[in-house]
Amino acid sequence: MTGLRERKKQRTRDALIRAAHELFVTQGYDATTVDQIAEAVDVSQRTFFRYFTNKEEVALSLHETINDRFYASLCARPVDEPPLQSLRRAVDEVWDESSRTITEILPVELHMQLCQVIETTPSLLSAHLHHYLLLEEKLVQEIARRTGLDDEQDPRPRVLVAAFAGVMRSAARHWGMRGDASLEEARRSTHAFLDELRPALASEWGRGTRVAERDE
Amino acid sequence: MTGLRERKKQRTRDALIRAAHELFVTQGYDATTVDQIAEAVDVSQRTFFRYFTNKEEVALSLHETINDRFYASLCARPVDEPPLQSLRRAVDEVWDESSRTITEILPVELHMQLCQVIETTPSLLSAHLHHYLLLEEKLVQEIARRTGLDDEQDPRPRVLVAAFAGVMRSAARHWGMRGDASLEEARRSTHAFLDELRPALASEWGRGTRVAERDE
DNA sequence: GAGACTAATGACAGTCGCTGACAATTGACA
DNA sequence: TGTCAATTGTCAGCGACTGTCATTAGTCTC
């Protein structure tokens, strides 16, 4: 089935990702050259660029697979579920399997540390935000499909996804900028932020309205 | 007061922005080299990089000044106003003066066209998103200040700004990807999207809940 | 108004990200 | 085993960006 050729490719790809992560975390992203990554895996620089279109992509590759899983989770939710609830449940599902997903390729701690590198490195953060935007557009399509709305006519799918994604990123950033980079803490942070989505939009922010209404 | 030296600097800066805009719009961003921009203004490449830290910045410079105005508008709103309303009103104020702001430097049409270039050029869009994120962080601080909340303890300022900014970007993108790039259309688009923020978060999306509740 | 001081610029060399082209290598498969 | 195609290495080159240093050109003083 999977030939030697393909396995070999997968191995060098994983090796490149791992080497890149280690170098990025220890030296910093900008201080690490593509040549260093390639050398660490003992391939030519040219080969690196055959696996990854640019330097950013190798740093964001794990996020990318997690994003894919998230999208798949959303698509698998029952269509009669309210949209925001589907998004939220999909988040839960992805968190549940994320540590397994990550560990297949590299130590979880390394990934956590890289998250902080991403948040603190401008060029990397920019690319990250762009990737996130592309995911958002897929989410809009899916929400529109599920609700049977035309996303060109009705702005609600876009608006919902934009608000949701904005809060998700905000939670990720809030967590990523801190020191305690545990998976569990990240999960809690996203939950806490999502719980505040509706309360935060209330016109008045009295202490009374502070009680979060969970979607569960 | 303003010496010759300073006026000259301002002129070359404006000239660089204008030349860059024209080249980006006619040839595309990637196809335009910094050398071409510098040559059009008859300065060396090195001086270009003394005015702008990188190629993206010259393309986003106008957005940057508009963002600054927006932040200033927000800060000037009465503190007893509900946060979301302050954000919304600040948007209105900026729209009112934006055409004037732009025309000081270059034709409005050029700026509109550049918006489309930004949305369709990956590297540029990435940088744009990053700039937007930096603005968001300033907004969070200001909202926290106005409401007297500690943004480290209470997530609502972050969440509100994230949702708001997400919708704003979504509206801008929705408009920027289309053909009719008029200022008036852009203004309408952002209004329409903001009006849908609360309705879109309703659990059920029946036609009945579709009626927008304006914040005015 | 001449000269000293300093900010702005130009010229040049070099690094790094990234790409195209072509040759060499190495699995796959008959 | 030999042929074919996929993968890789090498090399040459472009463009973004930076450090350095000499040169130019406002500015300020006497």
Side-chain angles (χ1 to χ4, degrees), chain A residues 82-84 122 125-127 129-130 133 136-137 143 147 149 151-160 162-163 166-167 169-170 173-174 178 192-193 196-207 209-210, chain B residues 82-84 122 125-127 129-130 133 136-137 143 147 149 151-160 162-163 166-167 169-170 173-174 178 192-193 196-207 209-210:
Chain A
L84 183 55
L125 182 54
S126 301
L129 294 173
H130 188 212
L133 183 65
E136 283 183 47
E137 280 172 10
I143 296 289
T147 52
L149 295 174
D151 67 292
E152 290 300 319
Q153 296 304 316
D154 196 318
R156 284 179 296 179
R158 277 178 207 285
V159 171
L160 174 68
V167 174
R169 276 204 302 90
S170 181
R173 182 161 180 76
H174 184 65
R178 304 180 155 278
F193 271 54
E196 293 288 347
L197 180 48
R198 276 200 262 254
L201 289 173
S203 354
E204 301 294 339
W205 277 3
R207 277 277 145 204
T209 62
R210 179 70 217 284
Chain B
L84 184 54
L125 181 54
S126 301
L129 295 173
H130 187 214
L133 183 66
E136 284 182 47
E137 281 172 10
I143 295 289
T147 54
L149 296 173
D151 68 291
E152 289 300 319
Q153 296 303 317
D154 196 317
R156 284 179 295 179
R158 277 176 207 286
V159 171
L160 174 68
V167 174
R169 276 204 302 90
S170 182
R173 182 161 180 75
H174 184 64
R178 304 181 156 278
F193 271 53
E196 293 289 346
L197 180 48
R198 277 200 260 258
L201 289 172
S203 355
E204 300 294 339
W205 278 3
R207 276 278 146 204
T209 63
R210 180 70 216 285

Side-chain angles (χ1 to χ4, degrees), chain A residues 69 95-105 108 183:
Chain A
R69 303 257 178 140
W95 272 123
D96 286 340
E97 61 177 25
S98 64
S99 82
R100 234 171 306 138
T101 308
I102 298 168
T103 319
E104 283 172 18
I105 303 189
V108 195
L183 252 182

Side-chain angles (χ1 to χ4, degrees), chain A residues 105-121:
Chain A
I105 303 189
L106 43 77
V108 195
E109 298 76 35
L110 204 54
H111 177 250
M112 299 293 124
Q113 288 175 284
L114 190 76
C115 288
Q116 305 194 4
V117 174
I118 293 173
E119 293 297 337
T120 53
T121 308

Side-chain angles (χ1 to χ4, degrees), chain A residues 56-98:
Chain A
E56 286 129 25
E57 205 181 295
V58 68
L60 302 176
S61 54
L62 259 182
H63 280 84
E64 207 60 8
T65 70
I66 291 177
N67 282 354
D68 289 346
R69 303 257 178 140
F70 174 71
Y71 176 70
S73 278
L74 175 66
C75 294
R77 300 293 316 168
V79 281
D80 59 330
E81 210 173 34
L84 183 55
Q85 200 173 73
S86 298
L87 288 166
R88 219 210 138 109
R89 295 269 164 88
V91 170
D92 288 343
E93 291 174 13
V94 169
W95 272 123
D96 286 340
E97 61 177 25
S98 64

Side-chain angles (χ1 to χ4, degrees), chain B residues 52-67:
Chain B
F52 304 97
T53 60
N54 50 45
K55 189 179 160 187
E56 285 129 26
E57 207 181 293
V58 68
L60 303 176
S61 55
L62 258 183
H63 279 85
E64 206 60 7
T65 69
I66 290 177
N67 282 354

